[in-house]
Amino acid sequence: MSYLYDSLARYGKVYDLTHRMNPSTFLQATENYNWIPYNPRKNLPRWGQSITSLDGGMSGIPDIDSVLEYCIENKVELHESDFNKKTPLWEHAKEALEPYSDYLGRTHVIKMDTGGCFPTHRDERNIEVPNFRLFIPIKNCNPPINWFVLDRQVLNFEHGKVYFIDTCLEHTVFTTNGTSVFIVANIVLCKESVEIVLSNLGSR
């Protein structure tokens, strides 16, 4: 299966796809739901809302938590692909993610205020990578408000576009001044999902 991830990564560590959504419309939809503290153990100004979850609900438990830390504390085994039940927020995100509807894993929208961050990390350290990440910038996702640094490169985005990002590479995200909002989608790695990406490359 590793050749499938290699098929995505050979085109770049980050690249845009033809899928897109209206960020303003989506942002308005989030006002109808509660923002849940993202991994509350860290006590950082980060919140989330579920686009998919374990049960289709929007409690955020455990899908807005750290899955790894939740599993350790509760002695359970969960994987990103287990979070595949669509919540009411899906109706407002499917404009961009509908092609991946059958391959969705844990997918959510994240809001970060000044000081919010995801410290430097890699999403995978395994020989086989079961998922890949799609990223949709919604609001204030570029410097000087928000910084997404991938493999020591500062990224710039067009809001509303869908991007593939190779998050096996070292990366960090932090908000320095204001509020940033973005969607992170875990997509099950399989031949079909990879073909969707490759048939929708932004630069042809």
Side-chain angles (χ1 to χ4, degrees):
M1 292 291 287
S2 59
Y3 78 94
L4 288 173
Y5 197 88
D6 292 343
S7 297
L8 295 172
R10 74 164 59 109
Y11 292 98
K13 54 190 174 185
V14 54
Y15 49 83
D16 63 300
L17 305 177
T18 57
H19 319 300
R20 60 188 310 129
M21 67 191 304
N22 185 318
S24 298
T25 301
F26 180 80
L27 201 58
Q28 289 178 348
T30 65
E31 297 176 0
N32 298 319
Y33 307 101
N34 294 324
W35 287 99
I36 309 299
Y38 194 100
N39 191 353
R41 302 171 196 80
K42 304 301 184 187
N43 195 28
L44 291 168
R46 308 179 304 186
W47 297 269
Q49 292 181 7
S50 302
I51 296 173
T52 65
S53 65
L54 278 178
D55 59 3
M58 296 191 64
S59 70
I61 302 173
D63 32 289
I64 302 299
D65 204 338
S66 162
V67 174
L68 176 62
E69 293 182 50
Y70 179 88
C71 288
I72 291 172
E73 288 183 4
N74 293 276
K75 296 180 175 59
V76 296
E77 183 175 346
L78 293 170
H79 304 280
E80 301 285 1
S81 57
D82 294 326
F83 298 80
N84 57 10
K85 304 293 190 303
K86 299 177 179 73
T87 74
L89 196 55
W90 164 253
E91 289 300 313
H92 307 283
K94 70 179 184 180
E95 179 182 3
L97 294 174
E98 179 68 38
Y100 305 94
S101 177
D102 294 335
Y103 313 105
L104 288 175
R106 189 167 70 122
T107 300
H108 43 259
V109 54
I110 296 171
K111 178 174 72 170
M112 298 199 306
D113 285 340
T114 300
C117 70
F118 287 86
T120 303
H121 66 286
R122 300 175 188 266
D123 288 348
E124 293 287 347
R125 296 194 182 107
N126 301 307
I127 294 174
E128 297 295 341
V129 179
N131 310 283
F132 61 90
R133 291 282 181 97
L134 298 180
F135 180 85
I136 309 176
I138 300 296
K139 176 184 176 182
N140 293 336
C141 290
N142 294 319
I145 295 174
N146 183 261
W147 301 74
F148 195 130
V149 183
L150 177 71
D151 196 28
R152 302 188 181 185
Q153 174 188 349
V154 177
L155 305 183
N156 282 271
F157 302 103
E158 180 180 333
H159 290 85
K161 270 194 170 185
V162 179
Y163 292 81
F164 165 81
I165 298 181
D166 184 357
T167 56
C168 292
L169 298 175
E170 193 175 76
H171 60 285
T172 183
V173 186
F174 54 95
T175 300
T176 58
N177 181 27
T179 299
S180 58
V181 181
F182 50 87
I183 292 172
V184 177
N186 279 280
I187 309 298
V188 174
L189 182 69
C190 62
K191 183 174 183 290
E192 292 76 14
S193 61
V194 170
E195 287 177 339
I196 294 170
V197 171
L198 299 184
S199 64
N200 287 279
L201 295 175
S203 298
R204 295 176 181 272

